[in-house]
Amino acid sequence: QSDQADLLYDLLNSFSLLKTPEEAAVFVTDLLTSDEVKFLSKRLRIAKLLLSNTGYTEISRALKVSPVTIAKVSAWLKESGAGIKRVISKLPERKKGKVGHDFPRYFWPGRLLEDFEKEAIKGKEKQLHGVLKKLSEKDVIRHREDEVYRESR
């Protein structure tokens, strides 16, 4: 049990050291497989949707998860969900969308800022795709390692 406490201590402190989404992306990519990231991401989204009063059917369709999975997350939220509720309440909205360019010239400074923001969003999107690519590459390497290990036995 002491070993488990030490493991958990290191994990929790590791997360607390991350200051930016970029640092978190690198850390998560290094630490988890793509399936683990997918499972954790879906659980977080299920919780977020449940907290916004989205129904089981809609969640199940949108995320391709079973009602049983949704019920588990719902039970966690009801029993001891203070931590996840706090995190979800602080999550920023992921910025998406397109804005037209047919504005009068006096809107130009605002448009310039929007263009900068769009470029920043594109950068974040590229970064997210890069993280997903790294996770896929990591899975391929792990599968090869598993095969080599099995063949050596």
Side-chain angles (χ1 to χ4, degrees):
Q1 216 173 27
S2 176
D3 289 340
Q4 186 61 39
D6 286 344
L7 294 171
L8 185 58
Y9 179 84
D10 286 347
L11 178 66
L12 297 177
N13 279 290
S14 297
F15 281 117
S16 73
L17 296 172
L18 304 171
K19 303 286 185 222
T20 66
E22 292 78 16
E23 287 180 9
V26 170
F27 181 72
V28 165
T29 303
D30 289 346
L31 183 66
L32 304 172
T33 66
S34 60
D35 283 342
E36 291 166 335
V37 171
K38 183 170 51 172
F39 295 140
L40 291 173
S41 300
K42 281 189 177 186
R43 284 185 185 172
L44 181 64
R45 181 59 55 91
I46 291 167
K48 187 176 180 181
L49 291 171
L50 287 170
L51 291 171
S52 68
N53 297 316
T54 306
Y56 276 43
T57 305
E58 191 175 338
I59 294 171
S60 181
R61 259 191 246 135
L63 299 177
K64 296 177 179 46
V65 294
S66 73
V68 173
T69 302
I70 300 167
K72 285 179 188 175
V73 175
S74 180
W76 296 333
L77 285 172
K78 289 176 185 164
E79 291 173 19
S80 61
I84 197 163
K85 288 175 187 175
R86 187 178 317 111
V87 167
I88 288 171
S89 73
K90 293 179 180 183
L91 282 176
E93 285 295 316
R94 183 169 172 213
K95 295 181 181 178
K96 302 187 245 185
K98 298 176 182 171
V99 180
H101 286 279
D102 23 334
F103 287 99
R105 286 185 186 257
Y106 56 84
F107 280 122
W108 184 80
R111 292 289 308 142
L112 184 61
L113 289 174
E114 286 177 11
D115 287 345
F116 282 135
E117 185 177 61
K118 280 186 204 175
E119 288 305 313
I121 291 168
K122 284 181 190 175
K124 297 280 185 197
E125 289 294 320
K126 283 182 183 178
Q127 195 172 26
L128 282 174
H129 289 292
V131 167
L132 293 173
K133 184 178 177 188
K134 283 182 185 176
L135 284 168
S136 295
E137 291 167 357
K138 192 172 166 184
D139 282 348
V140 169
I141 292 169
R142 284 194 176 145
H143 289 296
R144 285 185 195 147
E145 289 172 347
D146 288 346
E147 288 174 10
V148 169
Y149 176 75
R150 275 188 245 124
E151 289 172 3
S152 69
R153 292 169 111 200

